[in-house]
């Protein structure tokens, strides 16, 4: 039902209630049974056991568990224990990541008022908000949180802060008049108050018209529950990679076993070798290393003022192609600031932003002293006195205590050297006529030290113009003629084109101390001037938007605020381009899904949008193939934040709901921090590609050395336990160290990755096969040479092959640091990698030279001169191809 369109009597009749008596208790309890409690319902969640078991349904994990069973039956318990350990570690990590429960609904519940003042049985009493039902009459005043959706039937100077729902930075002024427009967005429904919003001024009475899931907050909760949580590009690529590797591994393993049996090897030995090769070919350590790499990235992000709540979020942000950003508190400071003052035909600029009293007054590109202009100083002084707001200083920060609009007037006066405490020693406030939505103004009567009294009024310019008969013009009092009226009107329009909200200031001296009514006090005023204010952009955001653009990432503003304000801010920040489109919520409502998708890539700014619109925009961008990041701080942003590929919430101004729905929380509410996150995300993905390249090339080398030996009718160059040792121990540390590699110089000059880009793109597949092939050939050649020299000493030849394979991989890891060549980057640029390589060499030496381990790993000590052969053969795979790269580079 469109409650905002109904008259008071129609609302009361439809809600079946009485304004004077309220509901009786019996009726209220009956409605609770019928409608349910005024609570947000929560979707059922899977049990902890199901979440844990779900970690093991991946096909790659199932194959590994199968290999574990086979190894156990064959008595190879070391193999079985090693595989089970890896699988369990991955499962536990995944379980704890997923069990960071969805707390969005809990946070929404906390926004509900615990107790409300309700009229029951003709008496006002406090009841828990969950017991509210449609038809209840409730009253509320400054500081109260609204407990349900209500149609306001009485309002006295009522203002309600709705930014969490609408995105508007200024509290909404409320009234009772019916609004005859069926498709009004929430922000324009001035006769409605919504669950979870906060009364910042005045008082009111209303009829409950919506409870629980039938409120605006409930609709968001429903969107939040039904919003899809998308998998990240990295998760999709790794799943794809796992399936490919399993197929390849099984085919190659079967081939090795088949050829080995044909060559005369016994079935048991070949089957055991086949299982070991299958384990070697499937990088079961890859998910764990990916998780570790992402976790280390998270630690770096914390140092850069960003908290990652979901590990894959860092990588996903790195391939984001669109950032959908809320305006209020995200791109702007959420601190109304006076930037222009007009008086007597002159417009002054005011520098400085936020609540700090730091700034200057400028006229014609030069600094001026505001105290030297009577008009300017009076506009500032009276704006300060006709005011109930204070700015408090806590440590080094200035904090608002009151209304944001009044705060802007206080700060502007302080920039001119006018302090409220000092002024109140010179002027006493005798009486106040509070602001209300009917008069659209506020007035005070002040008295100076000499006993002279004045009425000072501030309010909407159009209203003050009608109540003024004079104007202070060029420091002289003049009659407010048609020409002067037009001058003021033109000034209001000029300030509006800059997206400034204007507050007019007027006054009049009083000849006696007689008691005045509001109407008497606010008539025959002298119009002084205007103060134009705006919620200013964060100073660092413009550069961040520019750098995102250079990285191929489009920034889109999505706000509930007015279109003129949104356009002005977007232009100033470089978000609104020359040919960029601006859409309003009403435009989106009238569009089909297909129509929005057709133009969504051309739109830079969306204004006056609802939560449903935000969700629709995100989904339209995703349908066009974009990886979407959604930033925001309000309850209204939460569904879109959750449905986006990555949701980013503000840590300081963000609501709990937005934070819980997000993947990333910015501790400093700084849009520029997103740029750092993008860089980190891109680097992490590149590092993951590096260790995928390293692990797979190593695994290809291990399979090929065995396959070629079978084809050539040679003995097995490696025994199963050696393959497992290389795969689980020697490979792990260097792969992890690659995850700590610093970004390459051009990481933020490249465009974002296409979400359909395969893990083997940009030549990675060729690098894996070519390096793996050479590693296999070099290892086999070392085996053949030593086997011939040692006249059939198989254990010694296998030990040499084992050492060659390990060293070939450890040299190859430095080649993996660059997309180009091993010579392209300083090998000492990653000291973690140096440490990992040295550790792996030490582990290899221990296995070869420590006597108790020789029996387990079937190794024997290697003599000195054979190490020269091992180093030479191990260097071939990397430096042969690096040499060809250098030759091509010179040409």
């Amino acid at each position: 039902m469109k409650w905002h369109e109904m008259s008071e009597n129609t609302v009361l009749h439809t809600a079946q209630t009485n304004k004077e008596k309220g509901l009786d208790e019996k009726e209220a309890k009956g409605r609770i049974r019928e409608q349910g409690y005024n609570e947000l319902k929560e979707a059922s969640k899977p049990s902890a056991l199901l979440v844990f078991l779900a970690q093991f349904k991946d096909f790659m994990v199932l194959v590994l568990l199968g290999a574990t069973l086979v190894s156990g039956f064959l008595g190879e318990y070391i193999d079985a224990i090693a595989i089970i350990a890896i699988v369990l570690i991955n499962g536990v990590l995944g379980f704890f990541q997923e069990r960071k429960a969805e707390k969005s609904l809990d946070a929404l519940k906390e926004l509900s008022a615990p107790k409300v003042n309700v009229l029951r049985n003709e008496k006002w009493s406090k009841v828990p908000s969950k017991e509210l039902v449609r038809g209840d009459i409730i009253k509320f005043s400054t500081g109260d949180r609204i407990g349900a959706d209500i149609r306001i039937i009485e309002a006295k100077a009522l203002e309600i802060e709705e930014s969490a729902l609408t995105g508007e930075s200024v509290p909404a002024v409320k009234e009772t008049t019916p609004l005859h427009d069926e498709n009004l967005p929430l922000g324009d429904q001035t006769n409605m108050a919504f669950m979870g919003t906060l009364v910042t001024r005045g008082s009111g009475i209303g009829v409950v018209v919506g409870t629980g899931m039938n409120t605006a907050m409930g609709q968001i909760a429903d969107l939040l529950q039904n919003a899809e949580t998308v998998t990240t590009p990295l998760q999709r690529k790794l799943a794809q990679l796992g399936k490919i590797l399993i197929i390849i591994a099984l085919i190659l393993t079967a081939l090795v076993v088949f050829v080995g049996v044909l060559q005369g090897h016994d079935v048991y030995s070949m089957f055991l070798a086949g299982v070991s090769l299958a384990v070697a070919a499937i990088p079961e350590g890859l998910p764990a290393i990916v998780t570790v790499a992402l976790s280390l990235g998270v630690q770096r992000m914390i140092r850069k003022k960003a908290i990652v709540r979901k590990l894959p979020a860092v990588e996903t942000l790195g391939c984001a192609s669109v950032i959908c950003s809320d305006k209020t508190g995200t791109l702007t400071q959420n601190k109304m600031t006076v930037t222009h003052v007009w008086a007597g035909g002159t417009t002054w600029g005011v520098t400085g932003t936020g609540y700090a009293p730091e700034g200057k007054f400028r006229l014609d590109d030069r600094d001026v002293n505001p105290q030297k202009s009577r008009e300017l100083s009076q506009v500032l002084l009276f704006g300060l006195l006709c005011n109930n707001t204070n700015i408090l200083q806590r440590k080094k920060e200035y904090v608002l205590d009151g209304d944001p609009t009044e705060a802007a007037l206080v700060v502007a006066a302080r920039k001119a050297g006018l302090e409220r405490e000092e002024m109140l020693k010179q002027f006493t406030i005798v009486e106040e006529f509070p602001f209300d939505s009917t008069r659209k103004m506020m007035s005070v009567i002040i008295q100076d030290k000499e006993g002279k009294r004045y009425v000072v009024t501030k309010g909407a310019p159009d209203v003050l113009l009608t109540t003024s008969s004079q104007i202070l013009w060029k420091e002289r009092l003049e009659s407010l003629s048609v020409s002067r009226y037009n001058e003021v009107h033109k000034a209001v329009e000029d300030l509006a084109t800059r997206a400034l909200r204007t507050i007019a200031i007027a006054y009049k001296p009083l000849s006696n101390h007689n008691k005045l009514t509001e109407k008497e006090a606010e008539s025959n005023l002298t119009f002084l001037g205007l103060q134009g204010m705006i919620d200013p952009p964060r100073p660092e955001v413009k550069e961040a938007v520019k750098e995102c653009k250079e990285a191929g990432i489009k920034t889109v503003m999505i706000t509930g605020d007015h279109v003129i304000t949104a356009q002005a801010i977007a232009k100033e920040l470089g978000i609104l381009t020359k040919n960029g489109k601006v859409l309003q919520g009403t435009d989106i409502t009238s569009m089909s899904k297909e129509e929005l998708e057709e133009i969504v890539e051309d739109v830079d700014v969306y204004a006056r949008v609802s939560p449903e619109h935000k969700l629709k925009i995100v989904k339209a961008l995703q349908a066009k193939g974009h990886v979407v990041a959604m930033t925001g701080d309000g309850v209204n942003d939460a569904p879109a934040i959750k449905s986006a590929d990555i949701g980013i919430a503000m840590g300081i101004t963000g609501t709990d709901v937005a934070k819980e729905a997000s993947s990333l929380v910015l501790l400093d509410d700084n849009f520029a921090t997103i740029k750092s996150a993008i860089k980190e995300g891109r680097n992490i993905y590149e590092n993951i590609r590096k260790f995928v390249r390293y692990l797979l090339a190593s695994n290809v080398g291990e399979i090929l050395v065995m396959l070629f030996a079978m084809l050539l009718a040679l003995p097995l160059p490696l025994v199963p336990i050696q393959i497992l040792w290389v795969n689980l121990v020697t490979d792990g540390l260097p792969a992890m160290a690659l995850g700590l590699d610093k970004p390459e110089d051009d990481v933020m000059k490249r465009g974002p990755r296409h979400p359909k880009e395969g893990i083997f793109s940009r030549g990675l597949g060729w690098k894996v096969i070519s390096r793996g092939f050479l590693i296999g050939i070099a290892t086999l050649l070392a085996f053949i040479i030593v086997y011939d020299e040692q006249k059939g000493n198989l254990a010694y030849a296998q030990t040499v092959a084992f050492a060659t394979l390990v060293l070939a991989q450890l040299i190859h890891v430095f080649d993996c640091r660059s997309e180009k060549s091993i010579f392209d980057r300083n090998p000492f640029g990653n000291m973690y990698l140096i440490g990992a390589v040295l550790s792996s060499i030490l582990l290899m030496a221990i296995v070869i030279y420590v006597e108790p381990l020789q029996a387990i790993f079937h190794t024997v000590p290697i003599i000195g001169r054979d190490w020269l052969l091992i180093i030479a053969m191990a260097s071939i795979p990397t430096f042969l191809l690096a040499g060809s790269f250098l030759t091509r580079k010179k040409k």
Side-chain angles (χ1 to χ4, degrees):
M1 275 184 261
K2 304 294 183 183
W3 296 98
H4 64 273
E5 292 186 89
M6 299 179 187
S7 67
E8 179 183 318
N9 289 335
T10 307
V11 171
L12 293 167
H13 176 74
T14 308
Q16 296 179 318
T17 190
N18 185 295
K19 179 182 176 181
E20 309 301 329
K21 298 178 180 179
L23 300 175
D24 63 47
E25 286 294 341
K26 186 178 178 181
E27 174 67 17
K29 285 176 181 175
R31 293 191 185 188
I32 288 175
R33 285 193 295 272
E34 181 187 330
Q35 301 168 14
Y37 280 110
N38 179 32
E39 294 177 319
L40 301 176
K41 292 182 176 58
E42 192 168 350
S44 59
K45 295 175 183 175
S47 68
L49 179 61
L50 286 176
V51 173
F52 182 68
L53 292 176
Q55 308 304 315
F56 303 99
K57 65 183 182 182
D58 184 80
F59 186 48
M60 190 160 79
V61 173
L62 293 175
V63 170
L64 287 171
L65 290 173
T68 306
L69 285 173
V70 172
S71 299
F73 284 132
L74 295 175
E76 298 298 325
Y77 300 116
I78 293 176
D79 293 24
I81 291 168
I83 300 168
I84 284 176
I86 291 288
V87 170
L88 281 176
I89 289 168
N90 287 336
V92 169
L93 283 171
F95 170 76
F96 281 113
Q97 196 59 36
E98 255 184 72
R99 286 303 283 182
K100 283 181 177 176
E102 292 277 344
K103 294 178 183 174
S104 304
L105 281 238
D106 296 336
L108 277 169
K109 287 175 182 177
E110 287 172 13
L111 287 179
S112 301
K115 292 260 186 177
V116 288
N117 208 358
V118 64
L119 182 62
R120 296 260 177 96
N121 298 330
E122 301 183 52
K123 293 180 182 178
W124 290 102
S125 59
K126 294 269 187 182
V127 302
S129 67
K130 76 173 203 172
E131 293 180 11
L132 285 178
V133 293
R134 180 186 288 185
D136 265 327
I137 307 294
I138 64 173
K139 67 179 177 182
F140 39 86
S141 56
T142 304
D144 288 343
R145 198 172 285 281
I146 303 296
D149 281 8
I150 62 173
R151 169 66 161 84
I152 300 166
I153 56 175
E154 284 186 21
K156 294 180 181 176
L158 181 62
E159 293 185 18
I160 298 178
E161 199 274 306
E162 299 178 331
S163 65
L165 274 174
T166 65
E168 288 203 49
S169 51
V170 178
V173 176
K174 295 297 181 178
E175 58 185 6
T176 60
T177 313
L179 304 167
H180 302 295
D181 186 339
E182 188 177 348
N183 296 313
L184 274 183
L186 293 183
D188 291 333
Q189 293 180 24
T190 53
N191 57 11
M192 297 288 294
F194 303 101
M195 175 192 268
T197 58
L198 187 68
V199 180
T200 58
R201 173 183 282 179
S203 61
I205 294 176
V207 182
V208 173
V209 295
T211 60
M213 298 301 284
N214 294 318
T215 60
M217 192 77 76
Q219 289 169 20
I220 291 174
D222 189 53
L223 288 171
L224 210 49
Q225 286 182 11
N226 297 317
E228 300 166 19
T229 305
V230 297
T231 55
T232 72
L234 179 61
Q235 289 170 320
R236 296 194 284 268
K237 299 302 170 291
L238 289 178
Q240 169 196 346
L241 172 62
K243 288 171 185 172
I244 293 168
L245 290 177
I246 287 166
I247 294 167
I248 293 172
L250 293 177
I251 291 171
L252 289 177
T253 302
L255 186 60
V256 168
V257 174
F258 179 71
V259 172
V261 173
L262 286 180
Q263 295 290 356
H265 295 282
D266 67 276
V267 175
Y268 175 80
S269 297
M270 288 314 303
F271 186 74
L272 196 59
V275 170
S276 298
L277 276 177
V279 173
I282 300 170
E284 68 282 348
L286 184 60
I289 294 173
V290 168
T291 302
V292 169
L294 289 170
S295 297
L296 293 170
V298 165
Q299 298 306 311
R300 292 194 292 272
M301 291 296 296
I302 289 172
R303 290 194 291 272
K304 294 175 183 176
K305 303 292 185 186
I307 292 179
V308 178
R309 297 184 64 252
K310 297 169 188 173
L311 280 181
V314 185
E315 177 273 332
T316 314
L317 188 60
C319 65
S321 54
V322 177
I323 299 174
C324 294
S325 177
D326 186 37
K327 177 185 73 69
T328 306
T330 308
L331 298 171
T332 63
Q333 299 180 35
N334 201 15
K335 296 174 181 177
M336 294 299 288
T337 305
V338 171
T339 60
H340 292 79
V341 180
W342 178 93
T346 303
T347 302
W348 291 267
V350 187
T351 64
T353 59
Y355 297 143
E358 297 160 3
K360 296 180 179 178
F361 290 80
R362 295 182 63 79
L363 184 62
D364 299 329
D365 295 325
R366 58 187 175 81
D367 294 346
V368 295
N369 182 350
Q371 304 283 6
K372 291 187 176 179
S373 165
R374 181 185 168 194
E375 289 120 314
L376 176 57
S377 58
Q378 275 195 296
V379 168
L380 296 171
L381 172 62
F382 288 156
L384 178 69
L385 292 174
C386 188
N387 204 306
N388 288 313
T389 293
N390 289 313
I391 305 294
L392 309 175
Q393 189 168 3
R394 292 177 184 162
K395 295 181 180 178
K396 293 183 179 179
E397 286 191 32
Y398 292 90
V399 182
L400 168 67
D401 178 22
D403 178 79
T405 299
E406 290 193 338
L409 302 178
V410 171
V411 174
R414 291 186 70 186
K415 287 175 182 177
L418 302 172
E419 294 291 340
R420 184 172 171 80
E421 287 183 9
E422 290 299 317
M423 292 302 106
L424 288 177
K425 291 176 183 177
Q426 298 179 38
F427 298 92
T428 304
I429 295 175
V430 176
E431 191 172 354
E432 178 181 329
F433 301 106
F435 178 90
D436 70 46
S437 56
T438 306
R439 291 162 38 246
K440 293 186 178 178
M441 66 179 90
M442 168 192 175
S443 297
V444 291
I445 296 176
I446 60 173
Q447 181 174 306
D448 64 18
K449 287 183 176 181
E450 297 174 1
K452 294 179 182 176
R453 291 193 172 190
Y454 304 87
V455 173
V456 178
T457 304
K458 75 170 190 293
D462 56 334
V463 176
L464 260 66
L465 280 169
T466 61
T467 60
S468 297
S469 57
Q470 291 183 301
I471 186 170
L472 186 64
W473 191 268
K474 308 296 181 190
E475 302 197 5
R476 288 173 46 237
L477 282 176
E478 291 186 13
S479 171
L480 186 59
S481 61
V482 173
S483 63
R484 293 290 179 244
Y485 180 94
N486 291 336
E487 292 270 9
V488 177
H489 189 66
K490 182 176 179 297
V492 172
E493 287 184 340
D494 288 344
L495 294 173
T497 59
R498 304 178 201 226
L500 298 180
R501 184 180 181 215
T502 50
I503 297 293
I505 309 291
Y507 86 110
K508 74 174 178 182
L510 296 176
S511 57
N512 56 56
H513 291 184
N514 295 341
K515 182 78 174 173
L516 297 176
T517 63
E518 281 179 357
K519 191 171 183 180
E520 290 169 338
E522 295 170 347
S523 62
N524 295 316
L525 299 171
T526 298
F527 194 92
L528 285 176
L530 307 164
Q531 296 198 46
M533 61 188 70
I534 196 169
D535 179 11
R538 293 177 177 274
E540 65 281 350
V541 168
K542 188 172 184 177
E543 184 62 28
V545 169
K546 181 184 173 187
E547 290 190 39
C548 285
K549 193 176 289 185
E550 288 174 356
I553 300 160
K554 179 178 181 177
T555 304
V556 176
M557 179 190 288
I558 304 180
T559 179
D561 217 337
H562 291 280
V563 65
I564 294 175
T565 307
Q567 278 180 295
I569 296 289
K571 274 184 185 174
E572 188 173 341
L573 293 175
I575 292 172
L576 183 57
T577 56
K578 187 177 179 182
N579 299 315
K581 288 186 169 69
V582 179
L583 281 189
Q584 295 193 62
T586 49
D587 301 323
I588 300 170
T589 301
S590 63
M591 283 182 179
S592 67
K593 177 185 168 189
E594 291 71 25
E595 286 172 330
L596 181 59
E597 286 176 12
E598 195 174 319
I599 65 161
V600 72
E601 292 180 302
D602 302 322
V603 181
D604 293 336
V605 177
Y606 297 88
R608 299 307 268 173
V609 294
S610 68
E612 292 87 350
H613 294 146
K614 294 186 180 189
L615 205 53
K616 200 172 175 182
I617 294 161
V618 168
K619 289 190 176 297
L621 286 164
Q622 288 173 330
K624 298 296 284 186
H626 289 284
V627 176
V628 182
M630 172 74 192
T631 77
D633 59 357
V635 174
N636 59 326
D637 300 320
I641 284 174
K642 186 177 178 184
S643 278
D645 295 276
I646 177 163
I648 309 168
M650 302 297 114
I652 298 171
T653 58
T655 59
D656 289 341
V657 183
K659 290 174 191 174
E660 293 301 335
S662 70
S663 306
L664 186 75
V665 178
L666 305 182
L667 290 175
D668 54 1
D669 283 16
N670 192 337
F671 184 89
T673 304
I674 298 172
K675 181 203 70 179
S676 300
I678 290 169
K679 186 173 183 178
E680 191 62 55
R682 290 187 175 190
N683 184 48
I684 285 175
Y685 184 81
E686 292 305 312
N687 287 348
I688 289 171
R689 272 174 53 93
K690 290 172 188 177
F691 58 66
V692 165
R693 171 182 166 185
Y694 170 66
L695 287 175
L696 296 192
S698 300
N699 291 355
V700 167
E702 292 161 23
I703 290 178
L704 292 183
V705 72
M706 299 291 278
L707 177 60
F708 292 152
M710 296 300 99
L711 293 172
L712 295 171
L714 294 168
L716 291 176
L718 299 163
V719 296
I721 193 65
Q722 289 172 348
I723 295 171
L724 206 67
W725 178 261
V726 172
N727 196 52
L728 297 182
V729 180
T730 314
D731 287 354
L733 287 173
M736 206 169 290
L738 279 175
L740 293 167
D741 219 7
K742 293 176 183 175
E744 295 184 59
D745 294 337
D746 63 345
V747 73
M748 284 300 284
K749 300 297 180 186
R750 309 170 194 163
R753 296 186 321 279
H754 193 280
K756 292 183 180 177
E757 179 186 290
I759 199 82
F760 293 112
S761 64
R762 291 180 270 151
L764 185 65
W766 163 249
K767 287 170 185 170
V768 166
I769 293 167
S770 60
R771 270 59 166 190
F773 177 82
L774 289 174
I775 288 170
I777 291 293
T779 303
L780 188 61
L781 284 174
F783 172 77
I784 292 170
I785 292 167
V786 174
Y787 188 64
D788 285 344
E789 278 184 0
Q790 295 290 324
K791 301 187 178 358
N793 185 345
L794 182 57
Y796 189 82
Q798 285 175 331
T799 306
V800 168
F802 171 66
T804 305
L805 179 66
V806 171
L807 279 185
Q809 292 179 7
L810 295 180
I811 294 170
H812 172 243
V813 76
F814 290 99
D815 192 28
C816 295
R817 291 187 64 223
S818 171
E819 290 277 329
K820 299 166 187 171
S821 161
I822 192 171
F823 299 114
D824 197 54
R825 300 192 76 183
N826 178 1
F828 296 100
N830 184 345
M831 294 308 294
Y832 297 104
L833 186 58
I834 298 290
V837 167
L838 292 175
S839 299
S840 297
I841 291 171
L842 179 63
L843 289 169
M844 175 188 68
I846 288 171
V847 168
I848 293 171
Y849 290 105
V850 174
E851 197 168 331
L853 295 177
Q854 290 172 352
I856 298 173
F857 289 94
H858 307 282
T859 56
V860 294
I862 298 173
I863 58 176
R865 66 182 179 83
D866 284 333
W867 279 109
L868 295 175
L869 172 69
I870 291 167
I871 292 168
M873 298 306 294
S875 301
I876 289 172
T878 295
F879 290 102
L880 180 68
L881 292 174
S884 64
F885 168 79
L886 289 176
T887 306
R888 289 196 308 273
K889 199 171 182 182
K890 284 177 184 176
K891 288 180 181 178

